[in-house]
Amino acid sequence: TAREPVVTVALDPERASGALVDDVRRGLGSQPRSLSPTWLYDDVGSELFDEITRLPEYYPTERERAILRDHAADIVRACDATTVVELGSGTSDKTRTLLDAFTALGSVERFVPVDVSEQTLRDAAARLSERYPSLQVEALVGDFTLHLGHLPRGGRRLVAFLGGTIGNFYVEERAAFLGALHDSLEPGDWFLLGTDLVKSADRLIAAYDDSRGVTAAFVTNCLHVLNRELGADFDIDAFSYIPFWDPRQERMDLRLRADMPQRVTIPGAGLEFDLAHGEEIRVEISTKFRLESLRDELAAAGFAVERTWTDDADDFALTLAQR
Ligand code: AVJ
């Protein structure tokens, strides 16, 4: 019979709402205005992101799944971890591809999904315990930029950070994240990283500007979150979604543009400001990688690349590195 999942809450809700307030003050209180993509993932946002992963234009999910499907056994053999950690696990079904291989071929004993959404995590933990009765599921409700120090210790650990989410970080945030991950691991522990790769601007823009407008709804959802959580009065219909490819920084840059001037009041953050006509709020970046510079960045953080796998079209990469 399945062992009961253990759920540890590192993220205290009070601090989380404090982080929202801090981010809003810092990001919206000065120009150019920005918001952190963290706030995109409330229940509605998580649902919309799930829908994005099923869009024909949004290739990363399918490509990463193909790599996992074709190479999960290689990954298991290369690291033979006893603890598998997944950062930002969400509802993810790609986890299953990985765990199927680990439970069939390896000596995995424990799975540690980490996510900011407590309900999503509790549901996932219960489902995974059912599906893998031999596995101890120890879920961690936490933010992977803050709570890596709370990862359970012991055994050979593999930390998986999939989906290309690392692309949401700015260069300096990425270095800080990799440094913190390095500090939270022991020598010999493993890191499995999913990254989207540089490709033609056409395909990238199509992936972030789908014809059904799901991505636009996903990005715009952050304004609904601020209206609800902080009592803000964004006139949401008066914004357009502006995704563009920044070829110098090699990243998608996703913004909301005010179609008319408006005064915004955000009581929960003690903030009031005027948005000019055409003024933009940057909500998310999605960096695309090249394998060479990725290897250098990992090395700079103290990780040695063991192997890299890509899909047939070289759209996406999975990199296995060791601390
Ligand atoms: C979940 C961060 C990997 O950057 O592709 C998808 C988020 N935003 N469409 C990405 C996203 C708009 C996604 N990540």
Side-chain angles (χ1 to χ4, degrees), residues 41 49 52 58 163-165 168 208 215 218-219 254 284 286 288:
Y41 297 89
F49 179 67
I52 288 175
Y58 191 76
T165 302
N168 274 174
Y208 291 88
T215 309
F218 171 71
V219 173
L254 312 183
E284 187 177 41
S286 190
K288 306 307 168 187

Side-chain angles (χ1 to χ4, degrees), residues 192-204:
L192 182 68
L193 178 63
T195 50
D196 195 12
L197 301 176
V198 174
K199 57 184 59 61
S200 81
D202 289 359
R203 285 192 56 219
L204 285 165

Side-chain angles (χ1 to χ4, degrees), residues 7 9 43 90-91 115-127 139 141:
V7 181
V9 182
D43 291 343
T91 58
D115 204 276
V116 280
S117 165
E118 179 162 352
Q119 200 48 54
T120 306
L121 199 56
R122 285 189 186 278
D123 296 345
R127 273 200 314 274
V141 182

